Amino acid sequence: MQPDPIYDLKDGAEFPPSTISPFHNRVIIRNDPSIFLADKEHGENEDEDGPSEPRDEGNDQEESNKEEDDEEYYSPLSNMPISRAEIDQLHMYPLMMRRVTQQTGKGKIARMYSLVVVGNGNGLVGYGESKDEEVPRATDKAYIEAVRNMDYVDRFEQRTIWTEMQGKLGATQIILRPRPVGFGLHCNPNIHQVLKAAGIKDISAKVWGSRNPLNVIKLLFRMLHAGNAPLAMGNGIGGGGRKLDKGSGVRGKQEIERERGRKLVNLRTW
């Protein structure tokens, strides 16, 4: 193996035995600030080893023009974590679009805020938020953020949730209840769009308190996506602290099997 001048950089300090500790100690510090100096020296050595290739001014001009075009238009298909075929199968629902203003010392700065929900209709759903001076650019940025935030929702028979769930965010409270085949989506319009993107077909929901669309959407995703806030987590080290026990949390097949002590068998014959 060849030693790397950057990753193998280290600095050590020796501590002999003293009245505080009767042991001899050695501390090794890696990635200290001198790593940048080593990187610079490494680059200079490469320049000395061989001459650099001549650069084509025409190519430089083309690259600069491409960069200017990219700045003028923000493509939603750039830097995507999924393929183009998967992107074409996604459903996008722009749920919120409003004008926001930021007050600064030089005056007010107005931009457009966009919230977009993206899903494949088969358990994968996510939402994204973004701001920009123009509506299309704000929507494209929110779309990219939603695709990156997508996660799977645990569904019963690929059509509804497993058990009744409830949650609270601020002054907004939501109760989700599973329903039989053919019941449909009887719920708030914003909840309807999110569940439709997630592929949930039979459910009823009730929104209590504030019906602010932003709180409703964020609370719904906290309830559908696992890993947001474990119940009664306290301060994490066994002590006091705020108990996050407002609601039943996300309960899927594994949680129900663990609670009942037996495995669930699918009785569907198709």
Side-chain angles (χ1 to χ4, degrees), residues 66-80:
K66 290 181 179 179
E67 292 178 357
E68 292 178 359
D69 295 340
D70 293 341
E71 293 179 357
E72 293 178 358
Y73 178 71
Y74 193 87
S75 175
L77 302 180
S78 60
N79 301 325
M80 278 293 189

Side-chain angles (χ1 to χ4, degrees), residues 194-209:
V194 175
L195 298 180
K196 184 178 178 181
I200 297 178
K201 305 175 183 63
D202 304 310
I203 204 173
S204 65
K206 176 64 178 177
V207 181
W208 298 89

Side-chain angles (χ1 to χ4, degrees), residues 5-128:
I6 298 178
Y7 295 112
D8 295 338
L9 186 65
K10 63 179 181 180
D11 187 13
E14 301 285 342
F15 297 91
S18 62
T19 57
I20 300 177
S21 175
F23 304 101
H24 181 273
N25 298 318
R26 180 188 298 111
V27 177
I28 297 178
I29 304 173
R30 295 185 181 271
N31 295 338
D32 58 336
S34 59
I35 185 174
F36 303 103
L37 300 178
D39 187 14
K40 183 177 180 180
E41 295 175 358
H42 183 60
E44 293 177 354
N45 295 335
E46 287 185 350
D47 296 339
E48 295 176 358
D49 294 341
S52 60
E53 298 180 358
R55 301 182 62 182
D56 189 0
E57 295 181 357
N59 294 337
D60 295 344
Q61 185 67 24
E62 292 179 359
E63 293 177 358
S64 62
N65 294 336
K66 290 181 179 179
E67 292 178 357
E68 292 178 359
D69 295 340
D70 293 341
E71 293 179 357
E72 293 178 358
Y73 178 71
Y74 193 87
S75 175
L77 302 180
S78 60
N79 301 325
M80 278 293 189
I82 58 179
S83 63
R84 177 60 184 268
E86 294 174 333
I87 292 176
D88 294 339
Q89 297 177 357
L90 296 178
H91 308 285
M92 184 186 72
Y93 302 102
L95 298 186
M96 292 184 61
M97 178 65 67
R98 59 187 181 184
R99 185 175 180 269
V100 295
T101 305
Q102 178 185 6
Q103 181 66 53
T104 64
K106 297 181 179 180
K108 295 182 179 180
I109 301 178
R111 292 185 297 174
M112 298 302 297
Y113 167 85
S114 177
L115 188 145
V116 173
V117 172
V118 175
N120 65 348
N122 193 24
L124 193 63
V125 66
Y127 80 98

Side-chain angles (χ1 to χ4, degrees), residues 77-241:
L77 302 180
S78 60
N79 301 325
M80 278 293 189
I82 58 179
S83 63
R84 177 60 184 268
E86 294 174 333
I87 292 176
D88 294 339
Q89 297 177 357
L90 296 178
H91 308 285
M92 184 186 72
Y93 302 102
L95 298 186
M96 292 184 61
M97 178 65 67
R98 59 187 181 184
R99 185 175 180 269
V100 295
T101 305
Q102 178 185 6
Q103 181 66 53
T104 64
K106 297 181 179 180
K108 295 182 179 180
I109 301 178
R111 292 185 297 174
M112 298 302 297
Y113 167 85
S114 177
L115 188 145
V116 173
V117 172
V118 175
N120 65 348
N122 193 24
L124 193 63
V125 66
Y127 80 98
E129 304 173 273
S130 181
K131 298 177 184 177
D132 200 276
E133 297 178 356
E134 300 178 2
V135 175
R137 290 170 61 94
T139 304
D140 292 346
K141 292 180 181 179
Y143 177 76
I144 295 174
E145 195 69 20
V147 173
R148 293 177 176 175
N149 292 336
M150 286 194 302
D151 197 359
Y152 279 99
V153 179
D154 195 358
R155 299 175 297 163
F156 173 71
E157 296 179 350
Q158 307 300 319
R159 62 175 184 82
T160 185
I161 58 178
W162 285 86
T163 61
E164 179 177 326
M165 297 189 302
Q166 59 180 346
K168 184 176 185 298
L169 177 64
T172 302
Q173 301 183 44
I174 297 179
I175 299 178
L176 301 178
R177 299 183 179 93
R179 286 296 180 256
V181 179
F183 186 85
L185 297 175
H186 294 207
C187 52
N188 181 281
N190 295 307
I191 296 179
H192 184 282
Q193 294 294 82
V194 175
L195 298 180
K196 184 178 178 181
I200 297 178
K201 305 175 183 63
D202 304 310
I203 204 173
S204 65
K206 176 64 178 177
V207 181
W208 298 89
S210 173
R211 290 178 174 82
N212 182 6
L214 189 60
N215 282 0
V216 170
I217 296 171
K218 289 188 176 182
L219 176 56
L220 180 61
F221 273 96
R222 287 191 181 187
M223 298 172 66
L224 296 179
H225 287 174
N228 279 286
L231 301 182
M233 61 183 296
N235 59 1
I237 57 176

